[in-house]
Amino acid sequence: MTVLNDTSPTAPAVSGPRRERTRGGGLGRYVLIRFLLIFPTVFILVTLVFFLMRVVGNPITAAVGGRLTPAQLQERLHAAGYDRPIIVQYGEYLGQLARGDFGTTLTDHQKIIDILLTYGGATIELVFYALIVALIVGIPLGMLAAYVRDRWPDVILRVFAIFTYATPVFFAGLLLKLVFSVWLGWLPLGGRASTRIELALGGIPNPTGIYIIDALRTGNPTIITDVLAHAVMPALALGLITGGVFLRLVRTNVIGTLGADYIDAARSRGVSEIKLVRAHALKPALIPIITVMGLQIAMLLGGSVLTETTFGWRGLGFELQQYLSARDFVAVQGIVALLAVIVAVTNFIVDIVAAFIDPRVRY
Amino acid sequence: MTNVLAAAKDKRAPWYKRLPVVAQLRRSVGLQRGMLITGIVICLVFILTAIFAPLIAPFGFGQLRDDAGAFPRQAAPGGEHIWGTTVGGYDVFSRVVWGAQTAISVVIVAVILSVTIGVVLGLVSGYLGGWLDRVLVVIADAVYAFPSLLLAIVVSIVISGGQSSLLGGIVAAGISITVVFVPQYFRVVRAEAVRLKAEAFVESSKVVGSSTARIMFKHVLRNATRSLPLILTLNASEAILTLASLGFLGFGIGPTAAAEWGYDLNRALSDTASGIWWTGVFPGAAIVLLVLGVTLVGESLNDLADPRLRTRRRAKRRTAATTPLPAAATTEGAGA
């Protein structure tokens, strides 16, 4: 791989983040550099959030300012260290982060990292379901749209994609709730499982917090069905939006590859049309899709705040919303910083996967 | 030289035919033209609704009673309140109409701010280069990769501490969205500026003795903004969605300060359990329609700008029919 890379000056440039081809760029080197790049990214985001949050003043005044006398407020500020120079606070904050301490919430004195451990599983579960829905919807429909380009099925699919984009996830959720749980009564209105099932799942040894895994471990069909039934609407609401993005992406890229000479060559060899699209045209188109998928996972995390709030799905996003309405900005800052780390690591993993698939992606 | 320029100018279409959207409309054919026109019509309807909201809406957005007494709560659509009333007693139709005003104001604030900041930063960064360029690129990349909604939440906390008045709320929401969009404009304009600074016309203005600022804002800027109308429309639709999401999370504009669709949807969420659909469906449909309209315009502009995606079949037949070309050239044109 490395040899090929070094000796082929005509290798086409790879789309996506700026990547300059240098000498001796092997996979190992790429992984290392890409890994090191996580740190400045996280550092910048954390710094940005820290200083933005401090521009307003301090979290304590924001949370309880109106309810205390100036003297009391001053005492609280002093106790928390918010009266020191901002640069000292910043240094201390970075030190805490380096030790993996994202702070403690003001309102209920929980460690942010504990919130992650308790509710992270729920968010991962939701994002995973949504991603599956998005891929199932996006890839086949995108290929179809590319193949029948500019004819009526393509138009319908494109309108569908625009609609999924135009519908905010909470409105999609509201409509799904109205139709499937209120009018038809098929699916539960919200939550991750029925109260009884949730208690049962909490009682099993070493719960993962990812309900579907816990449910499968119990092997009880009632529990599994209940957990899955609760997941259908949140997964659809969040997944369809991303599915629309994938559809458009697959369509554009497959249209690009369908025009290539090797497609004509394959067609003249008698390769069936389905195989032509599925194998020959899709594979080269997958690389930009994987890169965008990384960005989309970040967007899914953002969208999960809305989805979790809509469906009362108790994950990180739901907690974030709770702290937002409680005006607990220490908690908000902590969760946002944590999400910054998660997003940076996710993007790293996606880029590595892309590098494994495509030997042209190297530093 | 001047004669040639003048001649070239004479040949160009009149200015109103060269405006961003109009020019593309003239170039489009078939389905793409249909999409573009649909989008433009939807946008126009919403803009008109926003402008004439005081005339269209039967009640104020914060109005809870009229001469006949207090409005009923959660009244079904029909009668005096054609789209019903909310749990708080607001008239749904009036709030949807007034909401158009809020949404469009925020979009205008957000787009103007982010275009200005993004373009200036991109130009300076791309043309001057150096350490400033490197720092700005790293920051823009970091911000770009972050979930935009979370960033908007943080910024809106900073600006308004959560709730605010009408003007304050519009500006706050606009700025929150701006922070998210600046990196996008920055990237596009910077890339163009980097490309353009190697061009001959930049070099010749240097030779003539133009100042750096003049080259940047006169020569490079003019040539770097071709793709902006496209990002602009796509961002406008995203601005509407971000505003609604902020409102949904309780960070928008309070119900007495202005009507905001996202806030109304948040309120409507608890209504669904009892089968009350009108409080959520109407503001939600308004969001979808407006975003749909703006996106249709943006998508069409995108397709028309990209030769791979532009529909050409019919346009080609027309040129082939009207201009008597040699047979070889015609077949070549049809095959391309």
Side-chain angles (χ1 to χ4, degrees):
Chain A
M1 242 184 257
T2 316
V3 177
L4 179 84
N5 199 28
D6 279 339
T7 51
S8 60
T10 50
V14 174
S15 62
R18 295 160 303 103
R19 285 183 183 115
E20 285 159 13
R21 275 170 29 80
T22 47
R23 289 175 156 276
L27 184 61
R29 192 180 129 89
Y30 175 76
V31 172
L32 181 72
I33 295 179
R34 187 60 193 80
F35 176 74
L36 291 177
L37 268 179
I38 293 179
F39 295 96
T41 311
V42 169
F43 172 76
I44 288 165
L45 285 174
V46 164
T47 306
L48 197 72
V49 171
F50 179 87
F51 282 104
L52 278 178
M53 297 293 255
R54 286 301 190 279
V55 170
V56 240
N58 61 73
I60 294 186
T61 318
V64 294
R67 278 173 278 148
L68 297 174
T69 64
Q72 279 174 314
L73 188 65
Q74 202 54 45
E75 190 166 320
R76 287 280 295 276
L77 286 179
H78 185 71
Y82 286 127
D83 53 351
R84 292 170 304 158
I86 192 157
I87 204 78
V88 176
Q89 294 181 40
Y90 175 60
E92 192 186 77
Y93 181 63
L94 284 187
Q96 282 180 356
L97 287 187
R99 291 193 301 274
D101 177 6
F102 285 85
T104 310
T105 65
L106 273 184
T107 38
D108 51 3
H109 302 290
Q110 285 218 34
K111 283 207 167 305
I112 301 289
I113 206 82
D114 289 340
I115 297 180
L116 169 74
L117 294 177
T118 319
Y119 299 108
T123 301
I124 292 175
E125 195 176 355
L126 176 62
V127 169
F128 179 71
Y129 289 144
L131 206 56
I132 291 180
V133 171
L135 291 175
I136 290 179
V137 170
I139 291 183
L141 291 184
M143 289 192 299
L144 177 67
Y147 188 70
V148 296
R149 180 190 172 186
D150 290 335
R151 274 179 277 155
W152 63 266
D154 178 36
V155 175
I156 292 175
L157 284 172
R158 294 190 72 191
V159 171
F160 165 76
I162 296 178
F163 258 106
T164 60
Y165 167 76
T167 312
V169 61
F170 44 88
F171 182 51
L174 188 138
L175 289 180
L176 286 172
K177 273 179 160 188
L178 268 177
V179 173
F180 291 106
S181 47
V182 178
W183 290 339
L184 296 174
W186 291 350
L187 294 167
L189 204 52
R192 292 179 64 200
S194 313
T195 320
R196 206 166 38 82
I197 306 284
E198 235 171 62
L199 285 175
L201 283 176
I204 67 165
N206 303 320
T208 55
I210 298 173
Y211 276 13
I212 186 65
I213 294 181
D214 289 347
L216 286 173
R217 273 165 60 195
T218 63
N220 183 334
T222 330
I223 297 185
I224 297 175
T225 332
D226 184 74
V227 167
L228 283 179
H230 279 82
V232 172
M233 290 196 299
L236 276 180
L238 187 55
L240 279 180
I241 290 174
T242 320
V245 176
F246 285 170
L247 195 162
R248 283 151 51 144
L249 199 69
V250 172
R251 176 182 179 274
T252 315
N253 281 299
V254 172
I255 283 180
T257 48
L258 271 178
D261 289 342
Y262 65 83
I263 294 291
D264 288 337
R267 189 174 275 140
S268 63
R269 285 201 309 272
V271 176
S272 75
E273 289 292 305
I274 288 181
K275 200 169 171 207
L276 207 61
V277 178
R278 215 183 50 211
H280 296 249
L282 180 64
K283 262 195 194 151
L286 271 179
I287 290 150
I289 293 166
I290 288 169
T291 315
V292 172
M293 218 168 92
L295 282 176
Q296 281 302 314
I297 290 176
M299 294 305 140
L300 279 175
L301 280 175
S304 71
V305 180
L306 299 169
T307 318
E308 289 176 9
T309 308
T310 310
F311 288 100
W313 180 279
R314 298 206 61 179
L316 274 183
F318 183 81
E319 291 301 301
L320 180 67
Q321 210 277 329
Q322 297 292 308
Y323 287 116
L324 276 173
S325 20
R327 299 276 173 269
D328 182 345
F329 296 148
V330 176
V332 173
Q333 184 183 334
I335 295 179
V336 171
L338 193 67
L339 287 175
V341 176
I342 296 175
V343 167
V345 173
T346 316
N347 283 340
F348 162 71
I349 295 172
V350 171
D351 276 3
I352 296 304
V353 171
F356 266 104
I357 296 174
D358 183 0
R360 291 173 305 182
V361 180
R362 295 286 183 275
Y363 277 108
Chain B
M1 178 78 190
T2 35
N3 283 342
V4 177
L5 270 182
K9 214 165 202 166
D10 281 344
K11 256 186 220 163
R12 291 208 293 188
W15 65 270
Y16 57 88
K17 286 186 178 170
R18 282 185 280 122
L19 287 175
V21 175
V22 182
Q24 273 93 353
L25 185 62
R26 283 161 42 83
R27 199 149 23 102
S28 60
V29 286
L31 272 172
Q32 271 172 357
R33 177 168 243 174
M35 273 170 66
L36 187 55
I37 291 176
T38 315
I40 293 174
V41 167
I42 294 176
C43 290
L44 278 180
V45 167
F46 273 92
I47 292 171
L48 290 177
T49 310
I51 295 173
F52 297 110
L55 301 176
I56 299 170
F59 307 105
F61 50 79
Q63 196 177 344
L64 289 171
R65 49 173 57 250
D66 58 5
D67 298 339
F71 293 161
R73 279 152 194 250
Q74 295 185 324
E80 195 188 358
H81 303 283
I82 50 166
W83 286 355
T85 59
T86 70
V87 64
Y90 296 117
D91 179 59
V92 175
F93 177 67
S94 302
R95 281 189 69 84
V96 170
V97 170
W98 285 101
Q101 215 172 46
T102 316
I104 287 177
S105 320
V106 170
V107 168
I108 292 172
V109 171
V111 166
I112 290 178
L113 276 179
S114 45
V115 168
T116 316
I117 301 173
V119 166
V120 170
L121 284 181
L123 264 186
V124 171
S125 181
Y127 187 74
L128 298 182
W131 65 268
L132 180 77
D133 180 41
R134 259 170 249 151
V135 170
L136 283 177
V137 165
V138 174
I139 293 179
D141 278 359
V143 170
Y144 186 71
F146 198 61
S148 54
L149 181 60
L150 294 182
L151 201 65
I153 290 174
V154 171
V155 179
S156 84
I157 291 175
V158 173
I159 293 168
S160 60
Q163 293 287 335
S164 48
S165 62
L166 171 60
L167 194 67
I170 288 177
V171 174
I175 294 177
S176 319
I177 297 163
T178 300
V179 174
V180 176
F181 289 159
V182 163
Q184 300 182 11
Y185 291 99
F186 172 81
R187 284 160 73 118
V188 173
V189 174
R190 182 190 166 277
E192 284 284 294
V194 167
R195 185 178 67 81
L196 289 167
K197 78 176 170 188
E199 294 275 330
F201 68 89
V202 172
E203 217 164 308
S204 36
S205 13
K206 267 190 210 156
V207 173
V208 172
S210 308
S211 68
T212 309
R214 190 184 155 81
I215 297 176
M216 252 162 51
F217 290 99
K218 190 116 185 131
H219 302 299
V220 179
L221 179 62
R222 286 255 175 104
N223 291 288
T225 48
R226 263 177 316 147
S227 49
L228 284 192
L230 209 145
I231 320 175
L232 206 132
T233 44
L234 291 179
N235 275 359
S237 58
E238 225 170 302
I240 301 159
L241 290 175
T242 311
L243 172 72
S245 307
L246 283 177
F248 180 75
L249 291 173
F251 274 85
I253 301 156
T256 49
E260 205 278 300
W261 297 328
Y263 173 87
D264 289 351
L265 271 168
N266 181 349
R267 297 281 104 181
L269 205 54
S270 47
D271 293 345
T272 49
S274 38
I276 293 169
W277 54 270
W278 57 89
T279 53
V281 168
F282 291 119
I287 299 176
V288 175
L289 258 183
L290 180 54
V291 176
L292 187 75
V294 180
T295 313
L296 279 175
V297 174
E299 281 266 293
S300 314
L301 295 189
N302 191 19
D303 286 2
L304 290 168
D306 189 339
R308 284 180 310 162
L309 297 175
R310 200 185 307 153
T311 314
R312 281 164 302 186
R313 270 171 296 161
R314 246 207 289 173
K316 223 170 281 141
R317 209 176 299 142
R318 201 182 299 152
T319 42
T322 48
T323 50
L325 285 168
T330 316
T331 43
E332 198 181 27

